[in-house]
Amino acid sequence: MGLLSVVCVSLFFSSTFAVDRGNFKTCDQSAFCKRQRALKPGQSPYRALLETLELSDSRLTLQLINDNNKVHLLLELYRLQGNMTRVKINELKPLRPRFEVPDVLIAEPPTEPLSVLSKDDNGVVLSLGAKNQRLIVSARPFRLDIMQGPEVLLSLNSRGLLAFEHLRLHKDTDKEEDGLWEETFKSHTDTKPNGPTSISLDFSLPGVEHVYGIPEHADDLKLKTTDGGDPYRLYNLDVFQYELYNPMALYGSIPVMLAHNTQRTMGIFWLNAAETWVDISSNTAGKTVFGKMLDFVQGSSEKPQTDVRWISESGIIDVFIMLGPKPSDVFSQYASLTGTQSFPPLASLGYHQCRWNYNDQEDVKSVDQGFDQHDIPYDFIWLDIEHADGKRYFTWDPHKFPQPKEMLQGLMDKRRKMVAIVDPHIRVDSGYKIHNEITSKDFYVKNKDGRNYEGWCWPGNSGYPDFTKPEMRAWWSSMFAYDQYEGSMENLFTWNDMNEPSVFNGPEVTMHKDALHGKWEHRDIHNIYGLYVQMATAEGQTQRSGGVERPFVLTRAFFAGSQRYGAVWTGDNAAEWDHLKISIPMCLSLGLVGVSFCGADVGGFFKNPSTELLVRWYQTGAYQPFFRAHAHLDTTRREPWLFGPENTALIREVIRQRYALLPYWYQLLYQAHKTGMPVMSHKYCFILHECTFSFLSCLRPLWVDYPKDTATFTIDDEFLIGSDLLVHPVTEEGSRGVTAYLPGAGEVWYDVHTFQKHNGAQNLYIPVTLSSIPVFQRGGSIIPRKDRVRRSSACMENDPYTLYVALSPKKFAEGELYIDDGHSLNYDTKKEFIHRSLTFANNALTSSNLCPDCNFLTSSWIEKVLILGASKPSKVLLKMDGKETPVDFEFDTSMSVLTLRKPGMNAGADWTLLLQ
């Protein structure tokens, strides 16, 4: 292929506005999925050999035998701290090692003792500790059941779909059908040198009708049954302008599913990085007789049940069962395994302006000036692939960007920043330093014959660095040093795109599965490639500052654990109303499995949005964690001021709303980093407990703490930000009203724009105009804002706070205030931050220190306090430093809003406002 072919590929990608589903496999076209799915529920061939049982303090091992082929497997069971169980199944004596996923778990999970309660010829009963939880191993056929008292929580292999394709030698007499040793899709042949290696296991969840998670899919929040269609697919792929409401694979894969009912929430984490398919079916539980060790037979009532089957192409079975019982427990359990959301720089929570591509330095300067001229704040401007010299990453086009430091300094002078794309496909060019160093260090992925793997991507013929190698990642990180990445400065950050990896001329637009990463095939590691790219990039940004500054890295491909390294966006969407709508459940699904820092391209990447759609998308994006506008090369320019003064004013207003709320967003990301709780929460019923402020129990209560309201289980067109803001974006064209569900019997919600109070546990119809963004603050909460909005977040660093105190019916409210320098790691390494509890009770608003041994000073002060749902006091006193000082106030009788003006306390001080 020559340059003309590259141009043709580029034109294909830039001019095609619908996914070609023929480029991507269905289950029937994936040989292992088709084979496994052909197995029907029934009697399992696997039997537990109880005489092989060995038990240490925290680990049980037991051999399984397949009575059809006499292959032995090794079962390992672990009881983990935090109410989790780990199940591993591998071949007892594999022909060669099978891949086990590294670098995803933050550490080997700590265990707790296992003990045998009873054992006979039919099985063994193990104690799982608290609350009468037991694990029952049935011998013939093999089956696992986790129980609490008489209740079955979860069963493994109850449908007999455990299937483990053992490694074997290829014999000339072997039949070649079903793609056992070779498989062709379109023009690509997968040689499968190790033969069939797939694995499968089924899970049954009695009493469960609602399951969530396993992103990334452009689908509803509640997962659908897959009977009669394809399973959900987890296989990182470059699917431009993806279709909606189907189980096709997209850019990222997180093999975590949450199961929820009004009594319990549980999670299943399937730790496997190979291509994976997930079948979901609904069933009726309560019809199965257990072994003799159970002294009961479940009733015959029509109890709902969800059955889930996981199928992966290679590797081993390594599954973590997170037993909750509350959703918040599951989040904590998963975070203990894979880590929490990275704590990003404050600026990254501001507004990001991007397109493919800003043409040159003058274009960047002009766009930057446009924001100032139209009084619209922003923090980051982005450069796509055209900024580099011939798409050689870590370089600058010498004609379009001849003086990158001058450009970056101009942004820095305004306290703004830039993101430049650095993709993991490297132009094969003997004059390119990056390519030469990777070649000399032998860091490229190999093809099946041992030569460097090459494929086509944006630069043309490209090599793909082997990010699975720690030494390759270390070298990549070193390339972000200021003396290596010429023209870079401390206000330049990074975007990792195309890291599925995308290979234009590869099977399914990705890498051949028989490519080699050392001794492992690409089929084994495919879904963690993107995680490794972001990991190495984030580490490089930290290293370049001597370990002082926080990184900011956006990634398109991701896996379990990616939350530790930065932000994620939902990929190449389109300027269509349905794509706006789907951005909500897509980000909610990511939040449920640890990735809090998520957003979608505002306006849609492909096509040109109508003015109404663009305004509505800004209004939605401003209330999602990652807030970036982005557009395709072929779209018309759409900077916020190009749609007439009225629409410019609407967009300006919602961006300013985002900036006013930055203190709240920042505190939420800090909480997500410290606790693993999602920032953007689906609005299951949240019921505030009136209680004394407590960091552990009441600091940031979520819907997951009280998920009793079944009416909310399938709603995904509105959401909570933390626990205190409820947002119902307007996502219907021409809408004149929306109906929002306000949860919480006995609670109240305040419209943040009008301060009107509404009762919880009701559907509220809200008339809307193009300027409307229905947002409500929960009664019982305190939200800090900075209402003096400037051109960037850094310019607001020392500006004063306004506290919005929304009282519950019991005249109680709580919140918090978190402040640090906004960019360094000193909050962690030196405890340089302010963390304060804000509590309103007994007609007193109090600020107290949550971290007495922390050390940080701020110039910010409290310039205003609004108390919603208040009664008129006769006077207000500020009690501080042993003195009492009168405070001016106004009271709006019609709305019951008390406004305290310029009380003047430092934001880091202890104080109390007394209402008398």
Side-chain angles (χ1 to χ4, degrees), residues 392 426-437 439 444 461:
R392 299 173 183 87
I426 303 302
R427 179 167 172 164
V428 176
D429 178 353
S430 60
Y432 180 23
K433 179 185 79 169
I434 299 293
H435 167 69
N436 290 339
E437 289 204 28
T439 302
Y444 277 125
N461 196 33

Side-chain angles (χ1 to χ4, degrees), residues 83 112 205 211 241 252 282 340 355 363 434 468:
N83 203 20
E112 293 186 341
L205 297 157
V211 289
Q241 204 191 342
S282 294
T340 60
R355 74 172 282 108
D363 198 8
I434 299 293
T468 67

Side-chain angles (χ1 to χ4, degrees), residues 21-42:
R21 295 191 66 176
N23 284 329
F24 304 100
K25 290 182 180 180
T26 63
C27 180
D28 280 345
Q29 294 169 317
S30 179
F32 80 90
C33 183
K34 183 178 180 180
R35 283 197 309 274
Q36 290 278 11
R37 221 180 183 204
L39 300 175
K40 301 302 179 185

